[in-house]
């Protein structure tokens, strides 16, 4: 699947032709978690690092519906981003007290600067099987290969090769 935010398109492919048409760093993703000895199948989970948090990677769910990177803290371990601002988020039970700040994110060789991060006190990692949600809108494009369990942020289209020329000629 290719999420093309730049051109506002979503492309699906049952084979490998879409994935083989792009180059870029293949970053591993997980499609399952084990919570309380049960296997949970869900969307793509990737490992990213927040500069201001800790050096170990955080398990983040790639999310097309969130408008900012959302970070779930570990219960009992209070942490705040640098220059955090108090804010509120609308939750199922009403408004949640939160904090927002800008942070630097590392994902593979990719570094994203000044990404808005939100963390709400009552939303802790022990209530979820991930440590946060990473919005896909942060990328010009993002290629997700469910079949091979990898993600390519901001992929680059491969140059036209013999196979593509043959495919184009066969259609005409």
């Amino acid at each position: 699947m290719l999420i093309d935010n730049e051109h506002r398109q979503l492309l699906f492919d049952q084979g490998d032709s879409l994935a083989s048409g792009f180059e870029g760093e293949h970053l591993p993703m997980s499609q399952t978690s084990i919570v309380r000895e049960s296997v949970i199948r869900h969307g793509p989970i990737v490992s990213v690092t927040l500069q201001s948090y800790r050096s170990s990677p955080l398990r983040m769910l790639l999310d097309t519906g969130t408008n900012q990177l959302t970070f779930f803290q570990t219960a009992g371990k209070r942490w705040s981003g640098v220059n955090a601002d108090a804010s509120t988020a609308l939750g199922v039970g009403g408004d949640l007290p939160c904090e927002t700040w800008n942070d630097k994110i590392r994902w593979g060789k990719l570094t994203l600067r000044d990404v808005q991060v939100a963390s709400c006190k009552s939303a802790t990692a022990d209530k979820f099987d991930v440590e946060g949600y990473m919005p896909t809108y942060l990328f010009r494009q993002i290629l997700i290969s469910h079949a091979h369990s990898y993600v390519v942020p901001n992929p680059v289209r491969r140059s036209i090769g013999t196979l593509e020329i043959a495919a184009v000629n066969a259609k005409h």
Side-chain angles (χ1 to χ4, degrees):
M1 170 173 60
L2 178 71
I3 300 170
D4 187 343
N5 291 314
E6 187 174 51
H7 298 103
R8 302 183 67 137
Q9 295 180 340
L10 183 60
L11 304 170
F12 295 96
D13 182 21
Q14 288 184 326
D16 284 335
S17 61
L18 182 63
S20 65
F22 290 91
E23 296 176 338
E25 183 179 13
H26 290 204
L27 300 172
M29 72 170 195
S30 171
Q31 299 176 72
T32 60
S33 294
I34 298 176
V35 177
R36 295 178 202 86
E37 299 180 21
S38 297
V39 175
I40 298 174
R41 300 194 188 287
H42 44 65
I45 293 180
V46 297
S47 294
V48 300
T49 303
L50 292 178
Q51 179 186 16
S52 64
Y53 185 53
R54 57 184 187 187
S55 59
S56 59
L58 298 167
R59 288 174 39 89
M60 299 289 221
L61 177 67
L62 280 176
D63 191 349
T64 59
T66 188
N67 62 353
Q68 61 193 6
L69 190 140
T70 305
F71 167 65
F72 306 137
Q73 299 184 38
T74 304
K77 293 184 180 178
R78 188 73 187 112
W79 177 82
S80 180
V82 178
N83 299 321
D85 295 320
S87 64
T88 58
L90 180 61
V92 176
D95 288 343
L96 302 172
C98 302
E99 293 179 328
T100 59
W101 66 93
N102 287 351
D103 214 327
K104 183 165 84 172
I105 297 168
R106 297 266 315 145
W107 185 24
K109 295 176 185 174
L110 180 67
T111 299
L112 301 172
R113 290 173 172 66
D114 292 324
V115 174
Q116 187 176 40
V117 177
S119 181
C120 300
K121 295 174 186 175
S122 62
T124 57
D126 59 316
K127 295 180 181 179
F128 302 93
D129 61 329
V130 294
E131 294 169 290
Y133 298 140
M134 185 161 72
T136 57
Y137 85 85
L138 293 173
F139 309 98
R140 186 177 29 80
Q141 295 176 326
I142 188 160
L143 178 71
I144 302 171
S145 175
H146 290 280
H148 300 289
S149 295
Y150 69 81
V151 177
V152 181
N154 296 327
V156 176
R157 189 173 294 279
R158 290 185 192 270
S159 60
I160 295 179
T162 314
L163 292 175
E164 290 182 26
I165 291 171
V168 170
N169 288 336
K171 290 180 183 179
H172 294 293

